[in-house]
Amino acid sequence: MKRRNTPAKDAILSLLTDTGKAMSQDAIEKKMDMNMDRATIYRVLNRFCEDGILHRIVAEDGKQYFAVCVKCDEKILADHHFHFRCTLCQTIECLQVPVQFSLPKGYQVERVNCVLTGVCKDCA
């Protein structure tokens, strides 16, 4: 089903695309130039995740961050990549490095959530 574009969707997607980093709902709300309530932001973010436009990253503190999906030639890189959370600037960015892992026989992976925490290159 094709969803219609709205000013809220356009504004949120533009913000996330322009920053190039994952942002939390409250960070998105603070950066919005237009008046938009929290429920609208969450609804748009969840729809974008369902449609494969964004992906959700859950940090070790339980907070959810949202990033634009980067399509690349290798599907495993797009789906299973590392994220880096900077403790100084409080951002999360996608690292285009594939996650390597192995599992015992009989297990099947559906999703990978790998968050590395430290100081990013901009803050170091």
Side-chain angles (χ1 to χ4, degrees):
M1 178 173 132
K2 180 145 171 104
R3 300 182 197 260
R4 66 183 177 91
N5 282 343
T6 64
K9 287 180 182 181
D10 291 341
I12 291 171
L13 188 57
S14 291
L15 175 64
L16 288 169
T17 301
D18 292 346
T19 61
K21 294 191 177 188
M23 296 177 70
S24 63
Q25 179 277 330
D26 56 327
I28 292 168
E29 189 174 357
K30 289 176 187 170
K31 295 272 188 179
M32 284 283 98
D33 291 335
M34 60 190 309
N35 190 13
M36 198 178 318
D37 65 20
R38 178 174 293 148
T40 299
I41 295 171
Y42 269 123
R43 188 171 43 255
V44 169
L45 293 171
N46 286 325
R47 284 189 184 142
F48 280 157
C49 287
E50 289 170 10
D51 294 345
I53 297 167
L54 300 180
H55 65 277
R56 182 185 330 263
I57 302 127
V58 180
E60 69 277 358
D61 62 359
K63 197 171 201 176
Q64 295 182 50
Y65 294 81
F66 300 87
V68 175
C69 291
V70 177
K71 302 298 180 197
C72 58
D73 294 336
E74 296 180 52
K75 181 152 175 51
I76 193 153
L77 185 60
D79 292 341
H80 301 156
H81 60 274
F82 286 101
H83 299 95
F84 191 91
R85 186 176 78 81
C86 180
T87 55
L88 296 180
C89 66
Q90 296 299 313
T91 61
I92 291 185
E93 63 183 296
C94 297
L95 302 176
Q96 290 301 305
V97 178
V99 176
Q100 301 293 326
F101 56 87
S102 60
L103 294 170
K105 188 176 180 177
Y107 289 86
Q108 184 175 345
V109 175
E110 292 179 2
R111 274 181 229 88
V112 173
N113 184 25
C114 294
V115 179
L116 306 170
T117 304
V119 179
C120 72
K121 65 180 179 185
D122 295 334
C123 293

